[in-house]
Amino acid sequence: MPRGSPAAVRPASGTAPRPDPAPVVPAGRAPVRPAAKHPLRKRIWSARWMYLFILPGFLFFVVFKYVPLLGNVIAFQDYSPFQGFASPWVGLQNFAALFTDPDVGIALRNTLVLSFLQLVFAFPAPIALALLLNSLISERTKRVVQAIVYLPHFIGWVVVVSIWQEVLGGDGMLTGFVESLGGSPINIMANPDLFPVLVTSQVIWKEIGWGTIIFFAAISLIPAEQYESASVDGAGPWKRMWHVTLPGITSVIVLLFILRLGSVLTVGFEQILLQQNSVGQDNAQVLDTFVYYRGIVGGDWGIATAAGVAKGLVGTALVIAANRVAKRFGGQGVF
């Protein structure tokens, strides 16, 4: 071994090895020391204002989302408001009665039809609108269109149904136009065959603008260099949308789709209830209105709560299954 190399210098036997030399600190700089871990109480106190801002939202979810979960015990009781939670326990009798009730079958069928139509047409509608508006050259035109399509989201369902009644009802604008041409009156709002299409169209009209907010945010995160590279390679607007924009927002689409599956058995209580009398309960009865009429109106609290518990279990199972499928195909999923 060459003389003078570090490995050639060995300490004499019986002597302790030399300690590693202290790191050289440049002049004018203090030595860097590892940050001390403060107790949890001090860390919370140092960020107390941030926790104070979080507190209202936290209390909202605790009071209105988590505490009501304790009421699910009613599904296993012959519940009476006069006895409260001391009502007699009946086990799974409410679930057995729920699955053998013919009204549940009708409500489930109508719910699945409406949910399928909304997944196929209402869910992709904001994506299509966001892609369309993103392709507009004029930024001013884009902002004007956004402002217009956002407005229906802030209108209550009572007003929305009233507007549609004035347009498509028996005495609405459409009937007046058809009669002026010599035709017969048309009442689309009372047509049971068109009710699923009508409900889906109302959801699209009301929520399409609001749904584009998330997709616009996702599109804004796509680097501009990708569009420039695609343009240099000769890609037109359609190819840039297909090969740059859509892959850039795929993760957001998958995330929202998984979350949407969690509410697949919820298709809008107020919207359906306001129009149920026009087409009849056999055509407009969904699980949400079934729970209302059977529990609050009819007083059968146990079966109504059992229906809500079953909805929650189905939604949870669908979210978990969709999340696993998304991860298996290379996606991030929700959790």
Side-chain angles (χ1 to χ4, degrees):
M1 185 173 294
R3 182 179 299 177
S5 62
V9 179
R10 299 180 181 274
S13 60
T15 61
R18 295 180 181 179
D20 294 335
V24 179
V25 180
R29 292 188 181 181
V32 179
R33 296 180 179 179
K37 293 184 178 181
H38 298 286
L40 178 62
R41 183 180 60 183
K42 289 186 177 180
R43 283 182 285 169
I44 294 177
W45 178 253
S46 63
R48 58 188 180 277
W49 298 115
M50 182 175 60
Y51 285 109
L52 186 62
F53 279 110
I54 297 175
L55 184 60
F58 174 76
L59 292 177
F60 170 82
F61 281 99
V62 169
V63 174
F64 295 102
K65 299 296 182 179
Y66 291 103
V67 173
L69 291 176
L70 301 176
N72 287 331
V73 298
I74 298 175
F76 306 95
Q77 293 179 323
D78 184 11
Y79 182 77
S80 171
F82 302 101
Q83 293 179 314
F85 291 113
S87 301
W89 293 86
V90 295
L92 299 177
Q93 290 184 12
N94 290 324
F95 291 93
L98 177 69
F99 295 133
T100 57
D101 194 326
D103 292 338
V104 175
I106 296 174
L108 181 60
R109 180 198 63 193
N110 295 333
T111 301
L112 292 178
V113 169
L114 292 176
S115 183
F116 174 78
L117 291 176
Q118 292 183 15
L119 281 176
V120 173
F121 297 102
F123 179 78
I127 304 174
L129 180 60
L131 295 175
L132 175 63
L133 294 179
N134 185 63
S135 64
L136 294 177
I137 299 177
S138 175
E139 191 69 22
R140 181 177 181 181
T141 304
K142 185 188 303 184
R143 298 303 179 188
V144 171
V145 175
Q146 282 181 305
I148 294 174
V149 296
Y150 285 169
L151 290 178
H153 171 78
F154 302 98
I155 303 176
W157 277 113
V158 175
V159 180
V160 170
V161 173
S162 300
I163 294 174
W164 283 66
Q165 182 69 36
E166 292 296 326
V167 177
L168 302 178
D171 298 327
M173 295 173 56
L174 180 61
T175 296
F177 176 73
V178 172
E179 288 181 341
S180 65
L181 298 178
S184 303
I186 299 177
N187 189 0
I188 297 179
M189 299 292 291
N191 190 332
D193 296 330
L194 297 177
F195 182 73
V197 179
L198 177 70
V199 171
T200 306
S201 302
Q202 291 172 348
V203 172
I204 294 175
W205 180 80
K206 187 176 186 296
E207 302 296 343
I208 185 173
W210 185 257
T212 58
I213 295 177
I214 298 178
F215 297 110
F216 271 128
I219 292 174
S220 66
L221 296 178
I222 300 176
E225 292 80 6
Q226 296 186 12
Y227 290 101
E228 295 173 358
S229 300
S231 299
V232 170
D233 292 339
W238 174 257
K239 288 187 176 180
R240 289 199 299 269
M241 181 194 71
W242 188 258
H243 296 286
V244 178
T245 307
L246 274 178
I249 64 175
T250 299
S251 60
V252 178
I253 295 175
V254 173
L255 172 64
L256 294 179
F257 183 77
I258 293 175
L259 296 177
R260 177 63 182 83
L261 287 179
S263 58
V264 70
L265 297 181
T266 302
V267 291
F269 168 73
E270 187 178 0
Q271 178 192 9
I272 304 298
L273 186 65
L274 292 170
Q275 303 175 88
Q276 199 172 69
N277 293 333
S278 301
V279 296
Q281 288 194 358
D282 290 342
N283 301 285
Q285 182 80 295
V286 294
L287 290 176
D288 291 331
T289 56
F290 170 82
V291 170
Y292 170 74
Y293 283 113
R294 184 60 64 91
I296 298 178
V297 178
D300 199 344
W301 305 93
I303 293 182
T305 307
V309 172
K311 281 180 52 182
L313 293 177
V314 171
T316 303
L318 288 175
V319 169
I320 294 175
N323 187 73
R324 290 184 177 180
V325 171
K327 287 187 174 181
R328 180 166 296 182
F329 284 93
Q332 295 182 351
V334 179
F335 50 87

